Amino acid sequence: MGTRLDLLSREYLESPHPHLTALRHRGPVVQVDPGGMWVVTRHDEAQHVLKSTSLFSSQGLRVSAQPAWLQRVNPFAESLLFLDPPQHGRLRALVSRAFAPAALAQLEARLRVVARERVAGMMNQRNVDFVDAFAMPIPATVMGWLLGLDASLQQHFSRWASDLVTMGGVRPEDTGSMARYYRTLEEMERYFQGVLDERRSAPRDDMVSDLLRAQVGGVALTTPELMSFLFMLLVAGLETTVNLLSQCARVFAQHPELLLRLREDPTLIPRFVEETLRYEPSVMATLRLCTQDVTLAGVELPQGALVLVSLASAARDEKYFPDGDRFILEREGPPRLAFGHGPHFCLGAMLSRLEARVALEELVSSVERLEVRTEHIDWTASLIVRGPVTLPVELFASAPGQPRTARLA
Ligand code: HEM
């Protein structure tokens, strides 16, 4: 390969895996564009970078959320995702308890009702945009519950989250998009400020009220800290799970036999979710900044170099995932990196697994076949997350008289 691969090029965004395979074959650490960043292509090195926080700082992620053209603070870029130990640990401890298993168990029954209604709605229409009809509303409803947000604003949440993950990929000439991103940040701040004011005067049983009461070392969180939490949770909780559910639908369309297997035996659904996360990860990569000159797998990286840890490439590393371009339900292998590794390991991993399991249990109990009804998919233009912007599908119910999988309670 003579020229450097551009990870924001249409060619890459549409079909990243062959490019990542080529990079992996070139070596564990390869230079790409934009900006001459270094891609870490293999599982072992990816894991090493993610746990070595003193060498590889999460400040690297700021290029995606606080791009040079943005002449104001993006509260998202101030959140714990972008902090290194020890500051990171203090803030993480505060939000962790909201994701404890006991808190999540309470969500399952309500979640199932929403998923069942959504499936029924899709079956009535038969031809739907899967993102809009199913993949987005489920996590948006859950985030609404968690943060105590107004469910009628779901459409805004999804636009906000998607703007926040794509703003790092804006081309210098695209001033129209930049103006939109400024408006989004202002709208989000106005909305969240309103939520904070309301909860201050009338606390509820939700995460926002919890955060307002929370203290770090005897000191309450400041308004900018609270604001950055809300920005981060909305982005982290929405776009990622929307993409996971959409990718599950694509796998069903590519492998109709898998959908039938899951209908026969819904206990296979968690395995299916894990293999989807490996095969088509919702979070393709994360970014780190070298805090000093460092040698990684024999490649010398200068202080300040930007390192893109490709979770998508690590998930097809031939050393651990033979025949990695195939979706294999029974696949074994080392712990995956889809939810990260080390101190920043995803706080929402258990929640999104729960959402995906319940959503798919409901989906497969009613749908026998799912076909994608488009030749061309537009993908999120981001270095970090990947998913279809829309996914037109046609859904087929079980034929009359044919035995159907028992509905789950
Ligand atoms: C398929 C779904 C999801 C995937 C693939 C995913 C993936 C990730 C990854 C890879 C990281 C680590 C990033 C890094 O090291 O730079 C992360 C962090 C995080 N995720 Fe998720 N995530 C998902 C869903 C969620 C959900 C539903 C929530 C919350 C509602 C959430 C909240 C978080 C938070 C708060 C962090 C930051 C943790 C920290 O910095 O300590 N995620 N996620």
Side-chain angles (χ1 to χ4, degrees):
M1 224 184 281
T3 53
R4 288 201 304 229
L5 174 66
D6 181 352
L7 300 187
L8 285 173
S9 64
R10 178 180 283 264
E11 200 194 345
Y12 174 80
L13 293 172
E14 281 182 1
S15 181
H17 298 295
H19 294 287
L20 292 175
T21 302
L23 286 185
R24 220 164 37 248
H25 292 164
R26 281 177 60 196
V29 185
V30 182
Q31 198 169 27
V32 298
D33 280 323
M37 59 177 71
W38 297 86
V39 178
V40 178
T41 64
R42 297 186 192 162
H43 183 93
D44 289 339
E45 286 78 12
Q47 208 168 21
H48 171 71
V49 170
L50 293 178
K51 68 178 181 210
S52 309
T53 52
S54 59
L55 295 176
F56 302 100
S57 162
S58 287
Q59 286 285 310
L61 272 166
R62 288 175 67 86
V63 291
S64 65
Q66 191 65 60
W69 59 264
L70 187 64
Q71 297 298 305
R72 53 152 293 170
V73 171
N74 177 357
F76 177 41
E78 306 292 308
S79 69
L80 80 151
L81 192 57
F82 302 77
L83 293 179
D84 297 316
Q87 291 86 344
H88 165 258
R90 286 162 59 232
L91 291 181
R92 182 168 164 121
L94 281 174
V95 269
S96 299
R97 65 197 171 120
F99 297 98
L104 299 186
Q106 294 174 359
L107 292 178
E108 178 161 349
R110 293 164 79 193
L111 184 54
R112 189 173 299 286
V113 173
V114 174
R116 195 169 288 179
E117 281 169 9
R118 286 282 160 185
V119 171
M122 288 199 296
M123 297 317 284
N124 278 339
Q125 292 186 49
R126 223 170 121 164
N127 282 284
V128 294
D129 169 13
F130 191 82
V131 176
D132 194 47
F134 195 72
M136 190 279 284
I138 290 179
T141 305
V142 172
M143 289 318 293
W145 292 337
L146 220 59
L147 295 171
L149 306 181
D150 184 346
S152 66
L153 293 171
Q154 268 185 23
Q155 292 296 336
H156 293 292
F157 302 162
S158 114
R159 180 171 50 82
W160 292 343
S162 129
D163 277 357
L164 282 188
V165 298
T166 52
M167 70 171 50
V170 161
R171 300 277 172 200
E173 64 282 4
D174 191 358
T175 49
S177 294
M178 291 176 190
R180 194 182 79 236
Y181 292 129
Y182 276 110
R183 279 198 303 277
T184 294
L185 291 177
E186 281 160 22
E187 262 176 55
M188 288 181 76
E189 265 173 351
R190 232 187 352 262
Y191 177 71
F192 284 138
Q193 188 59 59
V195 173
L196 289 171
D197 292 345
E198 236 176 80
R199 296 303 189 285
R200 269 198 185 101
S201 54
R204 289 194 209 163
D205 184 19
D206 63 20
M207 200 192 282
V208 179
S209 310
D210 265 9
L211 289 173
L212 280 165
R213 278 189 293 265
Q215 307 240 316
V216 190
V219 182
L221 292 168
T222 62
T223 298
E225 278 171 336
L226 287 162
M227 189 67 84
S228 73
F229 265 133
L230 298 182
F231 268 68
M232 181 200 59
L233 284 175
L234 192 75
V235 180
L238 207 56
E239 198 68 14
T240 51
T241 311
V242 175
N243 292 341
L244 169 59
L245 293 175
S246 304
Q247 293 289 17
C248 288
R250 288 186 65 237
V251 175
F252 284 148
Q254 289 160 6
H255 300 283
E257 74 288 356
L258 278 175
L259 175 44
L260 296 177
R261 266 187 83 187
L262 299 192
R263 276 170 67 81
E264 283 301 310
D265 183 1
T267 64
L268 293 172
I269 288 175
R271 261 185 177 274
F272 175 81
V273 171
E274 295 311 304
E275 179 64 352
T276 304
L277 280 165
R278 183 199 69 81
Y279 184 68
E280 289 288 5
S282 324
V283 177
M284 294 289 282
T286 184
L287 288 158
R288 296 293 189 260
L289 195 74
C290 294
T291 57
Q292 53 189 269
D293 294 350
V294 51
T295 305
L296 180 64
V299 177
E300 286 174 18
L301 303 174
Q303 179 180 17
L306 202 55
V307 173
L308 182 131
V309 181
S310 177
L311 305 176
S313 177
R316 296 194 185 204
D317 183 342
E318 292 73 8
K319 178 172 171 192
Y320 295 109
F321 305 104
D323 214 359
D325 292 338
R326 275 184 56 214
F327 189 102
I328 301 177
L329 196 57
E330 297 74 16
R331 187 183 286 282
E332 303 292 339
R336 315 286 162 85
L337 302 179
F339 289 107
H341 180 77
H344 287 277
F345 181 80
C346 177
L347 273 173
M350 220 189 297
L351 172 62
S352 60
R353 284 177 170 134
L354 171 75
E355 289 181 47
R357 174 175 60 76
V358 174
L360 295 185
E361 281 170 358
E362 290 303 317
L363 187 76
V364 305
S365 76
S366 292
V367 177
E368 195 180 64
R369 193 155 50 92
L370 181 156
E371 290 180 8
V372 171
R373 288 277 177 252
T374 178
E375 292 298 305
H376 176 81
I377 292 178
D378 277 332
W379 296 93
T380 334
S382 162
L383 290 171
I384 312 289
V385 297
R386 179 168 191 262
V389 177
T390 58
L391 188 65
V393 298
E394 183 167 0
L395 301 160
F396 300 87
S398 327
Q402 196 174 315
R404 289 184 38 171
T405 328
R407 265 199 118 62
L408 293 141

